């Protein structure tokens, strides 16, 4: 029980952050034609911000199942690697169905907190996941309910909050690592091209996300490759430190 309570406390800041983001998702989903309860169910069953925003937009165009599959894999594949990483730090009891639960609740923020633990217990991870999931669902509920009663002009204005959220995520990273600006610029330029160039305007939103993400990531990897440090140099560095 102590582990669960400790996890709950660690999840409070994440839950508060999720309230504002999921509030925007609720508004966005309702503005696209979903009901408030449909938006809440999506948030309760998916728990991925970028994936949900892309998904609801594509759902408004029937038949794009393959495009949706590819875009969701592109957006959410990182969670698989996060789950594999955390699975190396879990206790012995954390196996079977519990690992499926771990994968379901994995987000960037939950991963960051869990990765700081020496050993991830079931109770701690359960507590860590509880409030963020509740915050994500409740925020969507509030956004969805307000989205059904607010005037369209106010809805459109609040819908711009999602762009502010992404700017708030990207800008601090660009300030810390200047190289990040290159893939951001490439992805933005490609998105604009797909939006306004007549030849590319017919490409679905899901494929635009996938193509932009892959091209920007590949170009950045080629121009700024991560240098691998071999074990011998690491050993020499350790000896020098000693």
């Amino acid at each position: 029980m102590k582990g669960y309570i400790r996890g709950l406390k660690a999840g409070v800041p994440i839950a508060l952050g999720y309230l504002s983001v999921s509030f925007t998702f609720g508004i966005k989903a309702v503005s696209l034609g979903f009901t408030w309860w449909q938006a809440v169910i999506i948030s309760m069953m998916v728990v991925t911000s970028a994936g949900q925003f892309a998904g609801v937009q594509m759902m408004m165009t029937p038949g794009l199942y393959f495009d949706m599959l590819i875009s969701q894999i592109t957006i959410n594949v990182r969670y698989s690697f996060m789950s594999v990483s955390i699975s190396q730090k879990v206790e012995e009891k954390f196996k079977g169905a519990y690992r499926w639960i771990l994968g379901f609740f994995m987000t960037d923020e939950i991963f960051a907190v869990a990765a700081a633990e020496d050993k991830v217990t079931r109770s701690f991870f359960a507590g860590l996941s509880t409030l963020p999931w509740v915050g994500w669902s409740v925020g969507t509920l509030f956004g969805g309910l307000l989205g059904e009663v607010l005037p369209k002009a106010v809805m459109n204005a609040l819908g711009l909050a999602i762009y502010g959220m992404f700017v708030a995520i990207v800008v601090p990273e660009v300030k810390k690592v200047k190289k990040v600006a290159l893939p951001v610029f490439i992805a933005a330029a490609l998105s604009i091209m797909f939006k306004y160039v007549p030849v590319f305007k017919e490409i679905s939103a899901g494929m635009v996300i996938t193509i932009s993400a892959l091209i920007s990531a590949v170009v950045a990897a080629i121009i700024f490759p991560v240098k691998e440090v071999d074990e011998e140099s690491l050993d020499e560095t350790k000896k020098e430190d000693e």
Side-chain angles (χ1 to χ4, degrees):
M1 193 63 182
K2 290 182 179 179
Y4 182 78
I5 294 174
R6 191 167 66 87
L8 280 177
K9 292 179 180 178
V12 170
I14 302 175
L16 294 175
Y18 282 1
L19 274 171
S20 58
V21 179
S22 59
F23 178 85
T24 307
F25 170 74
I27 290 176
K28 181 68 174 179
V30 170
S31 69
L32 289 174
F34 292 86
T35 62
W36 66 266
W37 60 267
Q38 289 173 328
V40 172
I41 289 176
I42 291 173
S43 283
M44 292 176 68
M45 298 183 66
V46 180
V47 198
T48 167
S49 57
Q52 288 181 212
F53 280 103
V56 292
Q57 288 181 314
M58 296 189 67
M59 288 168 69
M60 301 311 297
T61 308
L64 298 178
Y65 303 116
F66 179 75
D67 291 0
M68 183 179 294
L69 173 64
I70 298 299
S71 65
Q72 292 301 313
I73 290 175
T74 304
I75 293 169
N76 298 318
V77 68
R78 69 186 187 279
Y79 296 131
S80 300
F81 298 112
M82 292 177 187
S83 298
V84 171
S85 175
I86 295 299
S87 69
Q88 308 304 307
K89 304 182 69 173
V90 299
E91 63 177 351
E92 282 292 321
K93 296 178 181 178
F94 208 143
K95 56 185 178 181
Y98 294 106
R99 296 210 175 196
W100 288 93
I101 296 173
L102 179 152
F104 173 78
F105 284 108
M106 188 61 65
T107 65
D108 301 286
E109 294 76 16
I110 289 176
F111 168 78
V113 175
E117 294 287 305
D118 294 327
K119 182 70 71 173
V120 180
T121 64
R122 290 186 302 181
S123 58
F124 174 79
F125 192 84
L128 177 62
S129 305
T130 299
L131 290 181
W133 183 79
V134 172
W136 188 254
S137 303
V138 171
T140 302
L141 173 63
F142 290 158
L145 290 174
L146 284 175
E148 291 195 341
V149 298
L150 291 175
K152 190 172 182 179
V154 177
M155 284 281 292
N156 291 334
L158 289 173
L160 295 175
I162 181 60
Y163 302 107
M165 180 197 74
F166 286 125
V167 169
I169 292 172
V170 172
V171 170
E173 290 300 318
V174 173
K175 287 183 176 179
K176 286 193 297 183
V177 184
K178 302 298 183 183
K179 296 176 181 178
V180 174
L182 176 64
V184 170
F185 175 79
I186 293 173
L190 288 172
S191 297
I192 293 171
M193 180 189 73
F194 283 115
K195 176 70 174 178
Y196 294 105
V197 176
V199 181
F200 302 108
K201 288 180 69 174
E202 298 302 319
I203 299 176
S204 67
M207 292 306 296
V208 168
I209 293 171
T210 302
I211 295 170
S212 300
L214 289 177
I215 292 177
S216 59
V218 169
V219 172
I222 293 173
I223 297 177
F224 304 118
V226 177
K227 296 180 180 180
E228 294 185 3
V229 181
D230 56 26
E231 294 182 1
E232 292 182 2
S233 61
L234 283 175
D235 292 338
E236 291 178 2
T237 304
K238 288 180 180 178
K239 289 178 181 179
E240 291 176 359
D241 293 338
E242 292 174 356

